[in-house]
Amino acid sequence: MFFDQLINSLTLGSTYALIALGYTMVYGILQLINFAHGEIYMIGAFIGLIMVSYFHLPFYVALIIAMAGSAILGVCVEKIAYKPLRESPRLALLISAIGMSIFLQNSALIIAGPAARPFSQNINYGSFTIGGMHISTLQITIIAVSVIMMIGLHFFIMKTKMGKAMRATSYDQAAARLMGIDIDNVISATFALGSALGAAAGVLIGLYFNSVDPTMGAMPGLKGFIAAVVGGIGNIPGAMLGGLLLGAAEVFGTIYISSYKDAIAFTLLIAILLLKPSGLMGSTLREKV
């Protein structure tokens, strides 16, 4: 029983971590909470659904297309809703983010309708038992894909030229510009990368719960934000840790404390804000994006 729930918590937590990475990367660069990120997650899930159910593409091909489509959407959102307001007060950016979130969600409602759609039944996943622990191949797929993406992101941030430019920009944007770094390109790359990770989470969650709908980004988007704050918003390893902790808190809290898992998530957020406002890793890891 315990190990079954541990696998469930890792499955849920790894997707929260992917969403949280999008929040924390954008915050690290612009100090902006991108509330439209949940809707990008939703649109990524829809792209994956269309690719799998209507074009009958293999799952991993659909996942890559969903990530690419959402990366382009993320860049468009940044160019339209945030770039013209970069020199404005942060409240203006926050309002613009909320407005873009509402716009994307309502656009999806108009185009797709409010009904939830299942993924194609052609995708079948089996399960097996190890030492009394039941694991589905879908759970392994979700955890493996998430871990690969997080490792890939870490490599990208630490080893590539663009990753180093992101880190430099997150430390000091003005100094990075003086060093010849194209800040606009860095910001676009940050939105593209964060949106792609959010889309991957959307496809994985849509497949896990076999349901995609235009409002699916609202609560997971908030949970991703909570995970980012718990880990220390602006801190990439913190976002990963926060996602896994939030998944564990929800799964085990639902079993041992209360069935109101959303309340557990927000209680965790309040507790972190009261006890350590900078997040669990907010003051110990200095490198951020």
Side-chain angles (χ1 to χ4, degrees), residues 1-279:
M1 177 71 176
F2 173 82
F3 290 105
D4 287 342
Q5 299 309 323
L6 182 62
I7 292 296
N8 289 335
S9 73
L10 288 174
T11 304
L12 189 62
S14 57
T15 59
Y16 285 155
L18 290 179
I19 302 171
L21 285 169
Y23 278 107
T24 212
M25 290 177 69
V26 170
Y27 186 85
I29 295 290
L30 290 177
Q31 283 73 56
L32 164 70
I33 299 171
N34 179 20
F35 280 115
H37 191 57
E39 274 54 55
I40 292 173
Y41 154 96
M42 173 269 294
I43 290 173
F46 264 106
I47 295 173
L49 172 74
I50 292 168
M51 293 299 116
V52 169
S53 299
Y54 295 97
F55 291 96
H56 306 293
L57 294 180
F59 165 70
Y60 291 105
V61 176
L63 180 65
I64 292 170
I65 293 174
M67 292 175 68
S70 294
I72 294 170
L73 175 62
V75 173
C76 291
V77 167
E78 190 274 325
K79 298 293 184 189
I80 295 170
Y82 303 141
K83 185 177 179 180
L85 299 173
R86 276 185 205 165
E87 305 302 324
S88 302
R90 301 209 181 280
L91 181 60
L93 279 165
L94 187 63
I95 293 171
S96 183
I98 295 172
M100 181 55 72
S101 170
I102 295 171
F103 171 78
L104 290 175
Q105 185 181 98
N106 282 272
S107 297
L109 279 167
I110 292 171
I111 295 170
R117 289 171 167 76
F119 266 83
S120 168
Q121 296 302 311
N122 293 328
I123 298 180
N124 295 314
Y125 289 93
S127 62
F128 54 91
T129 302
I130 300 177
M133 180 171 59
H134 302 285
I135 307 173
S136 73
T137 52
L138 176 57
Q139 288 176 311
I140 293 176
T141 300
I142 291 173
I143 294 171
V145 169
S146 300
V147 169
I148 290 170
M149 288 186 178
M150 285 187 266
I151 293 173
L153 176 66
H154 179 75
F155 177 83
F156 181 85
I157 295 298
M158 300 305 295
K159 301 296 183 183
T160 67
K161 186 176 179 180
M162 179 56 75
K164 293 174 183 175
M166 287 178 174
R167 284 191 286 150
T169 305
S170 72
Y171 278 124
D172 191 326
Q173 197 172 119
R177 194 188 301 275
L178 289 174
M179 293 296 106
I181 294 173
D182 190 328
I183 300 300
D184 286 340
N185 283 346
V186 170
I187 292 173
S188 295
T190 302
F191 271 87
L193 204 51
S195 299
L197 293 173
V203 175
L204 294 172
I205 283 293
L207 196 60
Y208 188 53
F209 293 107
N210 197 27
S211 177
V212 175
D213 70 84
T215 60
M216 66 177 285
M219 189 52 71
L222 284 176
K223 300 283 184 69
F225 172 65
I226 291 173
V229 173
V230 168
I233 192 161
N235 186 299
I236 288 178
M240 300 177 189
L241 175 64
L244 295 175
L245 284 178
L246 181 60
E250 281 195 3
V251 171
F252 288 104
T254 302
I255 296 172
Y256 298 112
I257 300 175
S258 167
S259 60
Y260 297 103
K261 68 175 186 178
D262 293 341
I264 292 171
F266 287 103
T267 301
L268 178 62
L269 173 64
I270 293 170
I272 288 294
L273 290 176
L274 289 174
L275 299 175
K276 200 170 187 306
S278 61

